[in-house]
Amino acid sequence: MKIFILKLIPPFNPGYDVTQGLLIRAESEGDARAMADQKTRAEYGRPRHRPWMDTRLASCAEMTSEGAAEIVMMDYQAG
């Protein structure tokens, strides 16, 4: 299994109360995008946008230990 980080690509901004990024364990980029799409299905209304499946709207990169120091994931629950 590999770990992928998915992020929305500016200037695409679906607004508030929707997922902006995900960290997913999957076999491939396609599987990671499909899992993200399935998990966030209810967030995008009708007609439903599918940003996680569109390479113009969301990036999907395999995570490695290379690169600058950064916070990769922050789990925050609003009340």
Side-chain angles (χ1 to χ4, degrees), residues 2-25:
K2 299 174 183 175
I3 296 179
F4 295 90
I5 186 165
L6 290 89
K7 298 179 189 176
L8 296 179
I9 298 173
F12 178 69
N13 183 353
Y16 296 103
D17 299 327
V18 295
T19 302
Q20 303 287 317
L22 299 103
L23 194 62
I24 296 177
R25 183 181 297 120

Side-chain angles (χ1 to χ4, degrees), residues 1-7 19-40 52-53 58-64 72-73:
M1 290 286 183
K2 299 174 183 175
I3 296 179
F4 295 90
I5 186 165
L6 290 89
K7 298 179 189 176
T19 302
Q20 303 287 317
L22 299 103
L23 194 62
I24 296 177
R25 183 181 297 120
E27 290 284 340
S28 67
E29 177 179 334
D31 290 347
R33 286 183 179 275
M35 289 172 68
D37 183 61
Q38 179 70 25
K39 182 66 176 172
T40 62
W52 306 113
M53 301 303 289
S59 64
C60 182
E62 185 177 348
M63 292 294 300
T64 68
V72 173
M73 185 183 90

